[in-house]
């Protein structure tokens, strides 16, 4: 009988957002009538110019990509002002997070995370045999992180800002002050998947990968094309760090780790910032509708610097699970946060017409 690695016995798989196809199968709802606002995708999709770029290059699917991904790295270099050799593209930012874990962790090493955070940090670390330690609060508490870091001396510390799934964000001043007091022996992974949204809403919450990694060689910044650029289905992300760090992480990557069409799409997306600007404006305007909804009904929510909002269910009302299941039967996919021990719902900010329907349905749940 095959013997599997002992860690797999207690390891939970990542719980992805429900797909449209599931709702179609289970409830007999037409695909065009399903609203998917549970996975933080860009509801406007990618730039039309990106779509055209994919069409133009579709005939190259039989070729392996340029494994240097020089065009993509050059565009990222222009955007962030860092040398191409300090950039590591990946098959989604998830892959470069995995590289970071596997490059430094050994069995028994400590990893420090926030209590409520992206689940893959824990999964990747446990796969390496590391021990997971977490803070106790929902929003990031850097003082608590520092106290635990002094005690545990973690090999890796993850900061997700803006936070997924909560939406809170750390200020630049606080992050820099924290890093100055932290041991340089700890690799600090700053997950900036939603950083563009924070920068739009409040520049003080914006972190520059160049400034961070210039000043702190132990910082590894990760970003993605899945959110603001609308390329979730293309699975492409990147990491930025000190040149020595990136050289070592490069040793972890398999050949041709990004599909050529994904690389084409990401490169073209970087050349079309006007589509990003359009989406960020829409996101902020539509976010306010949910905030006003919560205010009118005296609901608790987390001030969000991402493209979603977290609303808490009332203590004596319907639970988040009941609300999400009710809306699912209506063809509306939201994200129940009960797996994070939160009686809360995470709602991706959709297009105006999608939000009309969601808010109408929620008004009945919170009547």
């Amino acid at each position: 009988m095959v013997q599997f690695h002992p860690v797999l016995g207690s390891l939970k798989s990542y719980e992805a957002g429900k797909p449209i196809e599931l709702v179609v199968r289970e409830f007999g709802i037409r695909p065009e009538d399903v609203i998917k606002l549970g996975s933080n995708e860009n509801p406007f999709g990618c730039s039309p110019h990106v779509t055209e770029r994919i069409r133009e290059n579709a005939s190259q699917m039989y070729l392996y990509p340029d494994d240097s991904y020089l065009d993509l790295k050059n565009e990222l270099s222009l955007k962030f002002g860092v040398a191409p050799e300090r950039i590591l593209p990946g098959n989604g930012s998830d892959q470069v997070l995995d590289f970071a874990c596997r490059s430094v962790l050994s069995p028994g090493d400590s990893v420090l995370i926030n209590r409520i955070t992206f689940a893959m940090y824990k999964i990747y670390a446990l796969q390496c045999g590391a021990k997971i330690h977490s803070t106790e609060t929902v929003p990031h508490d850097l003082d608590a992180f520092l106290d635990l870091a002094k005690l545990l001396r973690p090999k890796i510390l993850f900061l997700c800002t803006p936070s997924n799934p909560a939406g809170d964000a750390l200020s630049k001043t606080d992050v820099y002050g924290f890093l100055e007091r932290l041991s340089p022996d700890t690799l600090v992974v700053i997950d900036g998947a939603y950083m563009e949204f924070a920068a739009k809403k409040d520049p003080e919450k914006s972190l520059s990968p160049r400034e961070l990694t210039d000043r702190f060689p132990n910082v590894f910044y990760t970003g993605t094309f899945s959110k603001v650029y609308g390329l979730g289905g293309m699975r492409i992300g990147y990491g930025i760090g000190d040149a020595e760090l990136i050289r070592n992480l490069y040793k972890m990557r398999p050949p041709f780790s990004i599909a050529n069409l994904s690389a084409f799409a990401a490169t073209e997306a970087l050349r079309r910032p006007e589509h990003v600007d359009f989406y960020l404006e829409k996101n902020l305007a539509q976010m306010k509708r949910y905030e006003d909804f919560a205010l009118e009904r005296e609901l608790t929510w987390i001030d969000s610097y991402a493209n979603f909002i977290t609303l808490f269910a009332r203590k004596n009302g319907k639970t988040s699970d009941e609300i999400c299941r009710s809306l699912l039967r209506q063809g509306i996919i939201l994200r129940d946060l009960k797996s994070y021990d939160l009686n809360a719902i995470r709602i991706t900010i959709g297009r105006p017409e999608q939000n009309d329907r969601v808010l109408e349905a929620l008004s009945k749940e919170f009547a």
Side-chain angles (χ1 to χ4, degrees):
M1 185 175 179
V2 175
Q3 297 295 312
F4 295 100
H5 195 290
V7 75
L8 296 180
S10 59
L11 195 62
K12 294 182 180 180
S13 298
Y14 177 74
E15 181 184 338
K18 290 181 173 60
I20 291 174
E21 292 79 5
L22 180 146
V23 181
V24 171
R25 290 193 301 267
E26 288 195 9
F27 302 105
I29 299 172
R30 298 183 306 170
E32 59 268 28
D33 293 331
V34 177
I35 297 175
K36 186 185 180 190
L37 297 178
S39 298
N40 303 339
E41 294 140 328
N42 182 333
F44 296 94
C46 66
S47 164
H49 298 282
V50 173
T51 305
E52 185 59 33
R53 179 72 166 147
I54 295 298
R55 291 196 186 99
E56 291 171 358
N57 289 278
S59 62
Q60 298 188 37
M61 283 189 291
Y62 74 99
L63 295 171
Y64 286 119
D66 168 14
D67 197 44
S68 73
Y69 299 104
L70 188 58
D71 286 347
L72 174 59
K73 288 194 288 187
N74 282 339
E75 289 298 327
L76 285 166
S77 176
L78 288 172
K79 176 178 173 61
F80 293 115
V82 298
E85 57 266 26
R86 290 176 55 187
I87 300 170
L88 171 63
N91 190 339
S93 59
D94 309 68
Q95 187 180 53
V96 294
L97 292 169
D98 181 31
F99 293 162
C101 287
R102 291 194 288 121
S103 67
V104 302
L105 291 177
S106 298
D109 286 341
S110 292
V111 172
L112 185 53
I113 62 175
N114 199 56
R115 180 196 156 204
I116 304 297
T117 198
F118 184 43
M120 290 309 299
Y121 308 150
K122 182 176 181 179
I123 291 173
Y124 287 141
L126 288 175
Q127 288 173 356
C128 297
K131 296 178 180 178
I132 305 298
H133 305 271
S134 68
T135 59
E136 296 298 324
T137 59
V138 173
H140 283 67
D141 182 337
L142 291 179
D143 288 334
F145 264 100
L146 192 63
D147 290 343
L148 285 170
K150 289 178 179 177
L151 177 67
L152 301 168
R153 300 186 65 83
K155 277 290 192 70
I156 298 182
L157 185 153
F158 287 96
L159 294 179
C160 185
T161 180
S163 169
N164 178 25
D168 60 289
L170 296 165
S171 73
K172 175 180 176 179
T173 302
D174 289 343
V175 170
Y176 276 59
F178 170 75
L179 292 172
E180 287 170 351
R181 294 188 291 164
L182 190 70
S183 168
D185 295 333
T186 295
L187 176 62
V188 180
V189 179
I190 295 182
D191 185 344
Y194 298 90
M195 191 60 69
E196 294 89 350
F197 300 95
K200 177 68 176 179
K201 185 172 182 178
D202 182 358
E204 174 57 22
K205 306 287 189 182
S206 178
L207 299 176
S208 162
R210 184 185 70 180
E211 289 181 8
L212 277 170
T213 55
D214 279 352
R215 188 167 170 180
F216 303 100
N218 60 320
V219 168
F220 182 50
Y221 178 96
T222 67
T224 182
F225 288 89
S226 296
K227 308 304 178 185
V228 77
Y229 292 103
L231 293 174
M234 302 304 283
R235 305 307 303 129
I236 184 162
Y238 56 89
I240 296 174
D242 174 79
E244 182 182 6
L245 173 63
I246 296 300
R247 279 196 300 273
N248 280 285
L249 292 184
Y250 245 96
K251 298 173 184 178
M252 311 302 297
R253 64 180 291 272
F256 313 116
S257 57
I258 303 170
N260 53 14
L261 294 185
S262 296
F264 287 139
T267 303
E268 186 63 23
L270 288 166
R271 294 168 178 163
R272 298 292 176 174
E274 67 279 1
H275 186 71
V276 170
D277 294 339
F278 161 80
Y279 172 38
L280 291 174
E281 290 284 352
K282 292 289 186 182
N283 181 74
L284 273 181
Q286 293 298 308
M287 176 88 72
K288 190 174 186 307
R289 297 181 63 191
Y290 285 94
E291 293 171 346
D292 290 344
F293 174 89
L295 272 173
E296 291 168 2
R297 288 159 181 79
E298 298 183 336
L299 302 176
T300 300
W301 80 95
I302 295 175
D303 187 26
S304 176
Y305 294 85
N307 68 339
F308 59 84
I309 190 167
T310 298
L311 296 179
F312 287 85
R314 292 193 179 107
K315 290 183 178 179
N316 297 320
K318 290 185 177 180
T319 66
S320 61
D321 178 54
E322 291 170 331
I323 293 170
C324 284
R325 284 192 285 112
S326 175
L327 266 66
L328 195 62
R329 289 191 290 270
Q330 301 172 54
I332 299 172
I333 304 172
L334 306 180
R335 187 64 180 265
D336 181 14
L337 297 184
K338 67 176 181 179
S339 62
Y340 291 89
D341 295 323
L342 293 179
N343 187 21
I345 304 161
R346 191 189 68 188
I347 308 167
T348 306
I349 307 301
R351 299 190 305 271
E353 67 276 13
Q354 293 176 317
N355 299 325
D356 289 344
R357 188 170 148 199
V358 174
L359 289 167
E360 181 181 0
L362 286 177
S363 66
K364 297 174 183 176
E365 302 297 324
F366 288 106

